Amino acid sequence: MDDSGGFGAPPPPPPPGAGGGGSIPQRGLGDILSVAFEVYKANAVKLIQIVAIVVIPLTFVMALLTQVAFKQHCDAQHVQQLLLGALTRGAAGALIGRDVDVSASYGYAFSRLGPLIGLALLVALVVGIGFILLVIPGIIVLVFLAVSVPAFIIEGLGVTDSMSRSWKLVSGSWWHTLGVILVAAIIAGVINGILTAIGGNTFFGVWILSAIAQIITAPFVALVSVVLYVDLRARHESLNATTLAMDLDRT
């Protein structure tokens, strides 16, 4: 990244710097993953803190319920959405060169937790209906709604407006979006699979290794989502870092 808002041309992108007003270039799959990784490295401590605050106690409870008490899955939708909101907020700031503020990220996520949960439920409902219709429609809809959360967090949009915004941004770049989210999911899935397999079936193994897996992968996945969202906006709107910073400051 260069001084045009942390979005210089590869290869390889250096750590993010303070912004400027230059237009953000369109990026391919490899560039998006590289930017996400570089921003992750530069802000790893704070991003991991955001995840660890929620994941360590949450995975403890889930491991307790699944391995010791009831052998069933614990529904933690509210907590997961709080984490996603805080992580997306922190990742968006990091992408334009700002320090990640853990408390401020969670404060913002708390302030919009109700609508964020509503967004997750509505996206799940729409995608679920698509999967009922012979799977393929569900995949199509899932990709079109892939950047709903970044639009919600960064632009401060409502639930349905965030979904509409995502649909509009992905239009014309559906295969590009699919490739990015698929590769990011594979990377996260492989890391999660290896670590959870090492943990075995013991209570402490499930708790500790599943927590570590989520702590490692969640910031990267969130950053990929945010960088993808920014890239899609750059393709449609000639976005620059100043505009992105103003969007964050308004919300």
Side-chain angles (χ1 to χ4, degrees):
M1 301 174 207
D2 60 13
D3 59 358
S4 61
F7 294 89
S23 295
I24 297 170
Q26 298 179 18
R27 291 185 173 275
L29 188 155
D31 297 331
I32 289 174
L33 297 178
S34 295
V35 169
F37 181 68
E38 292 298 328
V39 177
Y40 189 177
K41 284 199 305 181
N43 299 273
V45 173
K46 292 293 183 66
L47 291 172
I48 286 174
Q49 282 182 33
I50 291 176
V51 182
I53 287 171
V54 166
V55 164
I56 291 175
L58 179 61
T59 52
F60 176 83
V61 172
M62 293 179 68
L64 185 66
L65 292 177
T66 57
Q67 298 297 314
V68 177
F70 307 114
K71 299 288 183 181
Q72 64 184 19
H73 179 68
C74 174
D75 182 12
Q77 176 72 16
H78 290 48
V79 180
Q80 292 285 6
Q81 293 309 309
L82 175 64
L83 170 58
L84 179 59
L87 194 51
T88 303
R89 183 74 176 185
L95 194 62
I96 57 174
R98 294 181 176 178
D99 292 334
V100 176
D101 188 324
V102 177
S103 61
S105 297
Y106 268 108
Y108 180 81
F110 266 120
S111 72
R112 304 198 69 200
L113 182 57
L116 187 56
I117 293 170
L119 175 61
L121 293 175
L122 187 54
V123 168
L125 175 62
V126 173
V127 172
I129 292 173
F131 273 101
I132 292 173
L133 300 175
L134 302 177
V135 179
I136 298 299
I139 297 174
I140 293 172
V141 173
L142 177 64
V143 174
F144 272 117
L145 300 179
V147 292
S148 296
V149 171
F152 178 89
I153 295 294
I154 295 171
E155 297 184 65
L157 301 176
V159 171
T160 56
D161 286 342
S162 298
M163 295 169 67
S164 298
R165 177 69 159 150
S166 178
W167 196 287
K168 179 180 178 181
L169 290 174
V170 174
S171 296
S173 303
W174 191 91
W175 288 106
H176 170 67
T177 303
L178 173 64
V180 172
I181 63 176
L182 185 60
V183 172
I186 290 172
I187 293 172
V190 169
I191 295 173
N192 274 282
I194 291 172
L195 290 175
T196 52
I198 293 173
N201 294 318
T202 65
F203 167 71
F204 283 104
V206 170
W207 172 36
I208 294 172
L209 272 300
S210 62
I212 291 174
Q214 291 186 56
I215 288 170
I216 291 173
T217 59
F220 177 72
V221 173
L223 276 165
V224 169
S225 179
V226 171
V227 178
L228 174 61
Y229 158 83
V230 170
D231 174 66
L232 292 172
R233 285 189 64 180
R235 291 167 184 260
H236 284 267
E237 305 168 357
S238 299
L239 179 69
N240 59 52
T242 301
T243 300
L244 189 60
M246 290 173 62
D247 286 343
L248 276 174
D249 290 338
R250 281 197 299 266
T251 58

